[in-house]
Coordinates of all heavy atoms in Angstrom, one line a residue:
M71 N 2.5 -13.0 -10.9 CA 2.5 -11.5 -11.0 C 1.3 -11.1 -11.8 O 0.6 -10.1 -11.5 CB 3.8 -11.0 -11.5 CG 3.8 -9.5 -11.8 SD 4.3 -8.4 -10.4 CE 6.0 -8.9 -10.1
E72 N 1.0 -11.8 -12.9 CA -0.1 -11.4 -13.8 C -1.4 -11.4 -13.1 O -2.3 -10.5 -13.3 CB -0.1 -12.3 -15.0 CG -1.1 -11.8 -16.1 CD -0.7 -10.4 -16.6 OE1 0.4 -10.1 -16.7 OE2 -1.7 -9.7 -16.9
L73 N -1.7 -12.4 -12.2 CA -2.9 -12.5 -11.5 C -3.1 -11.3 -10.5 O -4.1 -10.7 -10.5 CB -3.0 -13.8 -10.7 CG -4.3 -14.0 -9.8 CD1 -5.5 -14.0 -10.7 CD2 -4.2 -15.2 -9.0
L74 N -2.0 -10.9 -9.9 CA -2.0 -9.8 -9.0 C -2.3 -8.5 -9.7 O -2.9 -7.6 -9.2 CB -0.7 -9.6 -8.2 CG -0.4 -10.7 -7.2 CD1 1.0 -10.5 -6.6 CD2 -1.5 -10.8 -6.1
A75 N -1.9 -8.4 -11.0 CA -2.1 -7.2 -11.8 C -3.5 -7.1 -12.3 O -3.9 -6.0 -12.7 CB -1.1 -7.2 -12.9
T76 N -4.2 -8.2 -12.4 CA -5.5 -8.2 -13.1 C -6.7 -8.4 -12.2 O -7.9 -8.2 -12.7 CB -5.5 -9.2 -14.2 OG1 -5.3 -10.5 -13.6 CG2 -4.5 -8.9 -15.2
V77 N -6.6 -8.8 -10.9 CA -7.8 -9.0 -10.1 C -8.5 -7.7 -9.9 O -7.8 -6.6 -9.9 CB -7.5 -9.7 -8.7 CG1 -7.0 -11.1 -8.9 CG2 -6.5 -8.8 -7.9
P78 N -9.8 -7.6 -9.9 CA -10.5 -6.4 -9.8 C -10.2 -5.5 -8.5 O -10.1 -4.3 -8.5 CB -12.0 -6.8 -9.7 CG -12.0 -8.1 -10.3 CD -10.7 -8.8 -10.0
L79 N -9.9 -6.2 -7.4 CA -9.6 -5.6 -6.1 C -8.4 -6.4 -5.5 O -8.6 -7.5 -5.1 CB -10.8 -5.5 -5.2 CG -10.4 -4.9 -3.8 CD1 -9.9 -3.5 -3.8 CD2 -11.7 -5.0 -2.9
L80 N -7.3 -5.7 -5.3 CA -6.2 -6.3 -4.6 C -6.1 -5.7 -3.2 O -6.0 -4.5 -3.1 CB -4.9 -6.1 -5.4 CG -3.6 -6.6 -4.7 CD1 -3.6 -8.1 -4.6 CD2 -2.4 -6.2 -5.5
I81 N -6.1 -6.5 -2.2 CA -6.0 -6.0 -0.8 C -4.7 -6.5 -0.3 O -4.4 -7.7 -0.2 CB -7.1 -6.5 0.1 CG1 -8.5 -6.0 -0.5 CG2 -6.9 -6.1 1.5 CD1 -9.7 -6.6 0.2
I82 N -3.8 -5.6 0.1 CA -2.5 -5.9 0.8 C -2.7 -5.4 2.2 O -2.7 -4.2 2.5 CB -1.4 -5.2 0.1 CG1 -1.3 -5.7 -1.4 CG2 0.0 -5.5 0.8 CD1 -0.3 -4.9 -2.2
D83 N -2.8 -6.4 3.1 CA -3.2 -6.1 4.5 C -1.9 -6.1 5.4 O -1.1 -7.1 5.3 CB -4.2 -7.1 5.0 CG -4.8 -6.7 6.3 OD1 -4.8 -5.4 6.6 OD2 -5.3 -7.6 7.0
D84 N -1.8 -5.2 6.2 CA -0.7 -5.1 7.2 C 0.7 -5.1 6.6 O 1.6 -5.8 7.0 CB -0.8 -6.3 8.2 CG -1.9 -6.1 9.2 OD1 -2.3 -4.9 9.5 OD2 -2.4 -7.1 9.7
L85 N 0.9 -4.2 5.6 CA 2.2 -4.0 5.0 C 3.2 -3.7 6.1 O 3.0 -2.8 6.9 CB 2.2 -2.9 4.0 CG 3.5 -2.6 3.3 CD1 3.9 -3.8 2.4 CD2 3.4 -1.3 2.5
G86 N 4.3 -4.4 6.2 CA 5.4 -4.1 7.1 C 5.3 -4.9 8.4 O 6.1 -4.7 9.3
M87 N 4.3 -5.8 8.6 CA 4.2 -6.5 9.8 C 5.3 -7.6 9.9 O 5.7 -8.0 11.0 CB 2.8 -7.2 9.9 CG 1.7 -6.2 10.2 SD 1.8 -5.4 11.7 CE 1.5 -6.8 12.9
R88 N 5.8 -8.0 8.8 CA 6.9 -9.0 8.8 C 8.1 -8.5 8.0 O 7.9 -7.5 7.2 CB 6.4 -10.3 8.0 CG 5.4 -11.0 8.8 CD 5.1 -12.4 8.2 NE 4.2 -13.1 9.0 CZ 3.6 -14.2 8.6 NH1 3.8 -14.7 7.3 NH2 2.8 -14.9 9.3
K89 N 9.2 -9.0 8.2 CA 10.4 -8.6 7.5 C 10.2 -8.9 6.0 O 9.7 -9.9 5.6 CB 11.6 -9.4 8.0 CG 12.9 -8.9 7.4 CD 14.1 -9.6 8.1 CE 15.4 -9.3 7.4 NZ 15.9 -8.0 7.5
L90 N 10.5 -7.9 5.2 CA 10.3 -8.0 3.8 C 11.6 -8.3 3.0 O 12.7 -8.0 3.5 CB 9.7 -6.7 3.2 CG 8.4 -6.3 3.9 CD1 8.0 -4.9 3.5 CD2 7.3 -7.2 3.5
A91 N 11.4 -9.0 1.9 CA 12.6 -9.3 1.1 C 13.3 -8.0 0.5 O 12.6 -7.0 0.4 CB 12.1 -10.2 -0.1
P92 N 14.5 -8.1 0.2 CA 15.2 -6.9 -0.3 C 14.6 -6.4 -1.6 O 14.8 -5.2 -1.9 CB 16.7 -7.4 -0.5 CG 16.8 -8.6 0.3 CD 15.4 -9.2 0.5
T93 N 13.9 -7.2 -2.3 CA 13.3 -6.8 -3.6 C 11.9 -6.4 -3.5 O 11.2 -6.1 -4.5 CB 13.4 -7.9 -4.6 OG1 12.8 -9.1 -4.1 CG2 14.9 -8.3 -5.0
A94 N 11.4 -6.3 -2.2 CA 10.0 -6.1 -2.0 C 9.5 -4.8 -2.6 O 8.4 -4.7 -3.2 CB 9.7 -6.1 -0.5
A95 N 10.3 -3.7 -2.5 CA 9.9 -2.4 -3.0 C 9.7 -2.4 -4.5 O 8.7 -1.9 -5.1 CB 10.9 -1.3 -2.6
E96 N 10.7 -3.0 -5.2 CA 10.6 -3.1 -6.7 C 9.4 -4.0 -7.1 O 8.8 -3.6 -8.1 CB 11.9 -3.7 -7.2 CG 13.1 -2.8 -7.0 CD 14.4 -3.5 -7.3 OE1 14.4 -4.7 -7.7 OE2 15.5 -2.9 -7.0
E97 N 9.2 -5.1 -6.4 CA 8.1 -6.0 -6.8 C 6.7 -5.3 -6.5 O 5.8 -5.4 -7.4 CB 8.2 -7.3 -6.0 CG 9.4 -8.1 -6.5 CD 9.7 -9.3 -5.5 OE1 9.0 -9.4 -4.5 OE2 10.7 -10.0 -5.9
L98 N 6.6 -4.6 -5.4 CA 5.4 -3.9 -5.1 C 5.1 -2.8 -6.1 O 4.0 -2.6 -6.6 CB 5.4 -3.4 -3.7 CG 4.1 -2.8 -3.1 CD1 3.0 -3.8 -3.2 CD2 4.3 -2.5 -1.6
L99 N 6.2 -2.1 -6.4 CA 6.1 -1.0 -7.4 C 5.6 -1.6 -8.8 O 4.7 -1.0 -9.4 CB 7.4 -0.3 -7.6 CG 7.4 0.8 -8.7 CD1 6.4 1.9 -8.5 CD2 8.8 1.4 -8.9
E100 N 6.1 -2.7 -9.2 CA 5.8 -3.3 -10.4 C 4.3 -3.7 -10.4 O 3.5 -3.4 -11.4 CB 6.6 -4.6 -10.7 CG 6.2 -5.3 -11.9 CD 6.6 -4.6 -13.2 OE1 7.5 -3.7 -13.2 OE2 5.9 -4.8 -14.2
I101 N 3.8 -4.2 -9.3 CA 2.4 -4.6 -9.2 C 1.5 -3.3 -9.3 O 0.5 -3.3 -10.0 CB 2.1 -5.3 -7.9 CG1 2.7 -6.7 -8.0 CG2 0.6 -5.5 -7.6 CD1 2.8 -7.4 -6.6
V102 N 1.9 -2.3 -8.5 CA 1.1 -1.0 -8.5 C 1.1 -0.4 -9.9 O 0.1 0.1 -10.4 CB 1.7 -0.1 -7.5 CG1 1.1 1.3 -7.6 CG2 1.4 -0.6 -6.1
M103 N 2.2 -0.4 -10.6 CA 2.3 0.2 -11.9 C 1.4 -0.6 -12.9 O 0.7 0.1 -13.7 CB 3.8 0.2 -12.5 CG 4.6 1.2 -11.8 SD 6.4 1.2 -12.2 CE 6.3 1.2 -13.9
R104 N 1.4 -1.9 -12.8 CA 0.5 -2.7 -13.7 C -1.0 -2.4 -13.4 O -1.8 -2.5 -14.3 CB 0.8 -4.2 -13.6 CG 2.1 -4.5 -14.2 CD 2.3 -6.0 -14.1 NE 3.6 -6.4 -14.6 CZ 3.9 -7.7 -15.0 NH1 3.0 -8.6 -15.0 NH2 5.1 -8.0 -15.5
R105 N -1.3 -2.1 -12.2 CA -2.7 -1.9 -11.8 C -3.2 -0.5 -12.0 O -4.3 -0.2 -12.0 CB -2.9 -2.3 -10.3 CG -2.6 -3.8 -10.1 CD -2.8 -4.1 -8.6 NE -4.2 -3.9 -8.2 CZ -5.2 -4.7 -8.6 NH1 -5.0 -5.7 -9.3 NH2 -6.4 -4.3 -8.2
H106 N -2.2 0.4 -12.0 CA -2.5 1.8 -12.1 C -3.6 2.2 -13.1 O -3.5 1.9 -14.2 CB -1.2 2.6 -12.3 CG -1.4 4.1 -12.3 ND1 -1.7 4.8 -11.1 CD2 -1.2 5.0 -13.2 CE1 -1.8 6.1 -11.4 NE2 -1.5 6.3 -12.7
E107 N -4.7 2.8 -12.6 CA -5.8 3.3 -13.4 C -6.5 2.1 -14.1 O -7.3 2.4 -15.0 CB -5.4 4.4 -14.3 CG -5.0 5.7 -13.6 CD -4.8 6.8 -14.5 OE1 -4.8 6.7 -15.7 OE2 -4.5 7.9 -13.9
R108 N -6.3 0.9 -13.7 CA -7.0 -0.2 -14.3 C -7.8 -1.0 -13.3 O -8.8 -1.6 -13.7 CB -5.9 -1.2 -14.9 CG -5.2 -0.6 -16.1 CD -4.3 -1.7 -16.7 NE -3.6 -1.1 -17.9 CZ -2.4 -0.6 -17.8 NH1 -1.7 -0.7 -16.6 NH2 -1.8 -0.1 -18.8
A109 N -7.3 -1.1 -12.0 CA -8.0 -1.9 -11.0 C -7.8 -1.2 -9.7 O -6.8 -0.4 -9.5 CB -7.5 -3.3 -11.0
S110 N -8.6 -1.6 -8.7 CA -8.5 -1.0 -7.4 C -7.5 -1.7 -6.5 O -7.4 -3.0 -6.6 CB -9.9 -1.1 -6.7 OG -10.8 -0.3 -7.4
T111 N -6.8 -1.0 -5.7 CA -5.8 -1.5 -4.7 C -6.0 -0.9 -3.4 O -6.1 0.3 -3.2 CB -4.4 -1.2 -5.2 OG1 -4.2 -1.7 -6.5 CG2 -3.3 -1.9 -4.3
L112 N -6.1 -1.8 -2.4 CA -6.3 -1.3 -1.0 C -5.1 -1.8 -0.2 O -4.8 -3.0 -0.2 CB -7.6 -1.9 -0.4 CG -7.9 -1.6 1.1 CD1 -8.1 -0.1 1.3 CD2 -9.0 -2.4 1.6
L113 N -4.4 -0.9 0.4 CA -3.2 -1.2 1.1 C -3.3 -0.7 2.6 O -3.7 0.4 2.8 CB -2.0 -0.5 0.5 CG -0.7 -1.2 0.5 CD1 -0.1 -1.1 -0.9 CD2 0.2 -0.4 1.5
T114 N -3.1 -1.6 3.5 CA -3.2 -1.2 4.9 C -1.8 -1.5 5.6 O -1.1 -2.4 5.2 CB -4.3 -2.0 5.7 OG1 -3.8 -3.3 5.9 CG2 -5.6 -1.9 5.0
S115 N -1.5 -0.6 6.6 CA -0.3 -0.8 7.3 C -0.5 0.0 8.7 O -1.2 0.9 8.8 CB 0.9 -0.1 6.6 OG 2.1 -0.2 7.3
N116 N 0.2 -0.5 9.7 CA 0.2 0.2 10.9 C 1.4 1.2 11.0 O 1.6 1.9 12.0 CB 0.3 -0.8 12.1 CG 1.6 -1.5 12.2 OD1 2.4 -1.6 11.3 ND2 1.8 -2.2 13.3
R117 N 2.1 1.2 9.9 CA 3.3 2.2 9.8 C 2.9 3.4 9.0 O 2.1 3.3 8.0 CB 4.4 1.5 9.1 CG 4.9 0.2 9.6 CD 5.8 0.4 10.8 NE 6.2 -0.9 11.4 CZ 7.4 -1.4 11.1 NH1 8.2 -0.8 10.2 NH2 7.7 -2.6 11.6
P118 N 3.3 4.6 9.4 CA 3.0 5.8 8.7 C 3.6 5.8 7.3 O 4.7 5.2 7.1 CB 3.6 6.9 9.5 CG 4.3 6.3 10.7 CD 4.1 4.9 10.6
V119 N 3.0 6.4 6.3 CA 3.5 6.4 5.0 C 4.9 6.9 4.9 O 5.7 6.5 4.1 CB 2.5 7.2 4.1 CG1 3.1 7.4 2.7 CG2 1.2 6.5 4.0
E120 N 5.2 7.9 5.8 CA 6.5 8.5 5.8 C 7.6 7.5 6.1 O 8.8 7.7 5.7 CB 6.6 9.6 6.8 CG 5.7 10.8 6.6 CD 4.2 10.5 7.0 OE1 4.0 9.7 7.9 OE2 3.3 11.1 6.4
D121 N 7.3 6.4 6.7 CA 8.3 5.4 7.1 C 8.4 4.3 6.0 O 9.3 3.4 6.2 CB 7.9 4.7 8.4 CG 8.0 5.6 9.6 OD1 8.6 6.8 9.4 OD2 7.5 5.3 10.7
W122 N 7.6 4.3 5.0 CA 7.7 3.2 4.0 C 9.0 3.1 3.3 O 9.4 2.0 2.9 CB 6.5 3.3 3.1 CG 5.2 3.0 3.7 CD1 4.9 2.8 5.0 CD2 3.9 2.8 3.0 NE1 3.6 2.5 5.2 CE2 2.9 2.5 4.0 CE3 3.5 2.9 1.7 CZ2 1.6 2.3 3.7 CZ3 2.2 2.7 1.4 CH2 1.3 2.4 2.4
G123 N 9.6 4.2 3.0 CA 10.9 4.1 2.3 C 11.9 3.3 3.1 O 12.6 2.4 2.6
K124 N 12.0 3.6 4.4 CA 12.9 2.8 5.3 C 12.4 1.4 5.4 O 13.2 0.4 5.4 CB 13.0 3.5 6.6 CG 13.9 2.9 7.6 CD 14.0 3.7 8.9 CE 15.0 3.0 9.8 NZ 15.1 3.7 11.1
L125 N 11.1 1.2 5.6 CA 10.6 -0.1 5.7 C 10.9 -1.0 4.5 O 11.2 -2.2 4.7 CB 9.1 0.0 5.9 CG 8.2 -1.3 5.9 CD1 8.5 -2.1 7.2 CD2 6.8 -1.0 5.8
L126 N 10.7 -0.5 3.3 CA 10.9 -1.3 2.1 C 12.3 -1.2 1.6 O 12.7 -1.9 0.6 CB 9.9 -0.8 1.0 CG 8.4 -1.2 1.3 CD1 7.5 -0.5 0.4 CD2 8.2 -2.6 1.3
G127 N 13.1 -0.3 2.1 CA 14.5 -0.2 1.7 C 14.8 0.4 0.4 O 15.9 0.3 -0.1
D128 N 13.9 1.1 -0.2 CA 14.1 1.8 -1.5 C 13.2 3.0 -1.6 O 12.0 2.9 -2.1 CB 13.8 0.8 -2.6 CG 14.2 1.3 -4.0 OD1 14.3 2.5 -4.2 OD2 14.4 0.5 -4.9
S129 N 13.7 4.1 -1.2 CA 12.9 5.3 -1.1 C 12.4 5.7 -2.5 O 11.3 6.2 -2.6 CB 13.7 6.5 -0.5 OG 13.9 6.2 0.9
A130 N 13.2 5.6 -3.5 CA 12.8 6.0 -4.9 C 11.6 5.1 -5.4 O 10.6 5.7 -5.9 CB 14.0 5.9 -5.8
A131 N 11.7 3.8 -5.2 CA 10.6 3.0 -5.6 C 9.3 3.3 -4.8 O 8.2 3.3 -5.3 CB 11.0 1.5 -5.4
V132 N 9.4 3.5 -3.5 CA 8.3 3.8 -2.6 C 7.7 5.2 -3.1 O 6.4 5.3 -3.2 CB 8.7 3.9 -1.1 CG1 7.6 4.5 -0.3 CG2 9.0 2.5 -0.7
T133 N 8.5 6.2 -3.4 CA 8.0 7.4 -3.9 C 7.2 7.3 -5.2 O 6.1 7.8 -5.3 CB 9.1 8.4 -4.1 OG1 9.8 8.7 -2.8 CG2 8.6 9.8 -4.6
A134 N 7.7 6.5 -6.1 CA 7.0 6.2 -7.4 C 5.7 5.5 -7.1 O 4.7 5.8 -7.7 CB 7.9 5.4 -8.3
M135 N 5.7 4.5 -6.2 CA 4.5 3.7 -5.9 C 3.5 4.7 -5.3 O 2.3 4.6 -5.6 CB 4.8 2.6 -4.9 CG 3.6 1.8 -4.5 SD 4.1 0.5 -3.3 CE 4.5 1.5 -1.9
L136 N 3.9 5.5 -4.3 CA 2.9 6.4 -3.6 C 2.4 7.4 -4.6 O 1.2 7.8 -4.5 CB 3.6 7.1 -2.4 CG 3.9 6.1 -1.3 CD1 4.7 6.8 -0.2 CD2 2.6 5.6 -0.7
D137 N 3.2 7.9 -5.6 CA 2.7 8.8 -6.6 C 1.5 8.2 -7.3 O 0.5 8.9 -7.6 CB 3.8 9.1 -7.6 CG 4.8 10.1 -7.1 OD1 4.5 10.7 -6.0 OD2 5.8 10.3 -7.7
R138 N 1.5 6.9 -7.6 CA 0.4 6.3 -8.3 C -0.8 6.0 -7.3 O -1.9 6.1 -7.7 CB 0.9 5.0 -8.9 CG 1.8 5.3 -10.2 CD 2.7 4.2 -10.5 NE 3.5 4.6 -11.7 CZ 4.6 5.3 -11.6 NH1 5.0 5.8 -10.5 NH2 5.3 5.6 -12.7
L139 N -0.5 5.6 -6.1 CA -1.5 5.2 -5.2 C -2.3 6.4 -4.6 O -3.4 6.3 -4.3 CB -0.9 4.4 -4.0 CG -0.5 3.0 -4.3 CD1 0.2 2.4 -3.1 CD2 -1.7 2.1 -4.7
L140 N -1.5 7.5 -4.4 CA -2.1 8.7 -3.7 C -2.5 9.8 -4.7 O -2.4 11.0 -4.3 CB -1.2 9.2 -2.6 CG -0.8 8.1 -1.6 CD1 0.2 8.7 -0.6 CD2 -2.1 7.6 -0.8
Q141 N -2.8 9.5 -5.9 CA -3.2 10.6 -6.8 C -4.5 11.2 -6.2 O -5.1 10.7 -5.3 CB -3.5 10.0 -8.2 CG -2.2 9.6 -8.9 CD -2.5 9.2 -10.3 OE1 -3.6 8.8 -10.7 NE2 -1.5 9.3 -11.2
P142 N -4.9 12.3 -6.8 CA -6.1 13.0 -6.3 C -7.3 12.2 -6.3 O -8.2 12.3 -7.2 CB -6.2 14.3 -7.2 CG -5.0 14.4 -8.0 CD -4.4 13.0 -8.0
R143 N -7.4 11.2 -5.4 CA -8.5 10.4 -5.2 C -8.7 10.2 -3.7 O -7.8 10.4 -3.0 CB -8.3 9.0 -5.8 CG -8.2 9.0 -7.3 CD -8.1 7.6 -7.9 NE -8.1 7.5 -9.3 CZ -7.0 7.7 -10.0 NH1 -5.8 8.0 -9.5 NH2 -7.1 7.7 -11.3
P144 N -9.9 9.8 -3.3 CA -10.0 9.6 -1.8 C -9.1 8.5 -1.3 O -8.9 7.4 -1.9 CB -11.5 9.1 -1.7 CG -12.1 9.4 -3.0 CD -11.1 9.5 -4.0
H145 N -8.3 8.8 -0.3 CA -7.5 7.8 0.3 C -7.5 8.0 1.8 O -6.7 8.7 2.4 CB -6.0 7.8 -0.2 CG -5.4 9.1 -0.3 ND1 -5.6 10.0 -1.3 CD2 -4.6 9.8 0.6 CE1 -4.9 11.1 -1.0 NE2 -4.3 11.0 0.1
P146 N -8.5 7.5 2.5 CA -8.7 7.7 3.9 C -7.6 7.1 4.7 O -7.0 6.1 4.4 CB -10.0 7.0 4.2 CG -10.2 6.0 3.2 CD -9.5 6.5 1.9
E147 N -7.2 7.9 5.7 CA -6.2 7.4 6.7 C -6.9 7.4 8.0 O -7.5 8.4 8.5 CB -5.0 8.4 6.7 CG -3.9 7.9 7.6 CD -2.7 8.8 7.5 OE1 -2.3 9.2 6.4 OE2 -2.1 9.1 8.5
M148 N -6.9 6.2 8.7 CA -7.6 6.1 9.9 C -6.7 5.5 11.0 O -5.9 4.6 10.7 CB -8.8 5.1 9.8 CG -9.7 5.0 11.0 SD -11.1 3.9 10.8 CE -12.2 5.1 9.9
R149 N -6.7 6.1 12.1 CA -5.8 5.7 13.2 C -6.6 4.6 14.0 O -7.8 4.5 14.0 CB -5.6 6.9 14.2 CG -5.0 8.1 13.5 CD -3.5 7.9 13.4 NE -2.8 9.1 12.9 CZ -2.1 9.1 11.8 NH1 -2.0 8.0 11.1 NH2 -1.6 10.2 11.4
A150 N -5.8 3.7 14.6 CA -6.3 2.5 15.3 C -7.3 3.0 16.4 O -8.3 2.4 16.6 CB -5.2 1.7 15.9
T151 N -7.0 4.1 17.1 CA -7.9 4.6 18.1 C -9.2 5.0 17.6 O -10.2 4.8 18.2 CB -7.2 5.7 18.9 OG1 -6.8 6.7 18.0 CG2 -6.0 5.2 19.7
E152 N -9.2 5.7 16.4 CA -10.4 6.1 15.8 C -11.3 4.8 15.5 O -12.5 4.9 15.7 CB -10.2 6.8 14.5 CG -9.5 8.1 14.6 CD -9.1 8.7 13.3 OE1 -9.9 8.7 12.4 OE2 -7.9 9.2 13.2
L153 N -10.7 3.8 14.9 CA -11.4 2.6 14.6 C -11.9 1.9 15.8 O -13.1 1.5 15.9 CB -10.5 1.6 13.8 CG -11.1 0.4 13.3 CD1 -12.2 0.7 12.3 CD2 -10.0 -0.4 12.6
A154 N -11.2 1.9 16.9 CA -11.6 1.3 18.2 C -12.8 2.0 18.7 O -13.8 1.4 19.1 CB -10.5 1.3 19.2
H155 N -12.8 3.4 18.7 CA -13.9 4.2 19.2 C -15.2 3.9 18.3 O -16.3 3.8 18.8 CB -13.6 5.7 19.2 CG -12.7 6.0 20.3 ND1 -13.1 6.1 21.6 CD2 -11.4 6.4 20.3 CE1 -12.2 6.4 22.4 NE2 -11.1 6.6 21.7
K156 N -14.9 3.9 17.0 CA -16.0 3.7 16.1 C -16.7 2.3 16.3 O -18.0 2.2 16.2 CB -15.5 3.7 14.6 CG -16.6 3.5 13.6 CD -16.0 3.6 12.2 CE -17.0 3.3 11.1 NZ -16.5 3.3 9.8
N157 N -16.0 1.3 16.7 CA -16.5 0.0 16.9 C -16.8 -0.3 18.4 O -17.1 -1.4 18.7 CB -15.6 -1.1 16.3 CG -15.5 -1.0 14.9 OD1 -16.6 -0.9 14.2 ND2 -14.3 -1.1 14.3
G158 N -16.8 0.7 19.2 CA -17.1 0.6 20.6 C -16.1 -0.3 21.4 O -16.4 -0.9 22.4
L159 N -14.8 -0.3 21.0 CA -13.8 -1.1 21.6 C -12.9 -0.3 22.5 O -12.1 -0.9 23.2 CB -13.0 -1.8 20.5 CG -13.7 -2.7 19.6 CD1 -12.8 -3.2 18.5 CD2 -14.4 -3.9 20.3
A160 N -13.1 1.0 22.6 CA -12.2 1.8 23.4 C -13.0 2.4 24.6 O -14.2 2.5 24.6 CB -11.6 2.9 22.6

């Protein structure tokens, strides 16, 4: 956990692609809280942010995590079709 809290850039790719442990929301919140305003975190998912509470099974923990991740900073949201067009794949 300490390594995840201290790397300069943590990339969590495809959140929700696999079934998550029952403690996933609490563990992810702990990592985000330790990194908050100290290091960069990039999180990708094919699921809308609105579904993360159900996906992780703990809406309160997800709300707290999103409060830290989505503060007034740039947080681009890109749809797969936009990315495909941008890369000439559509």
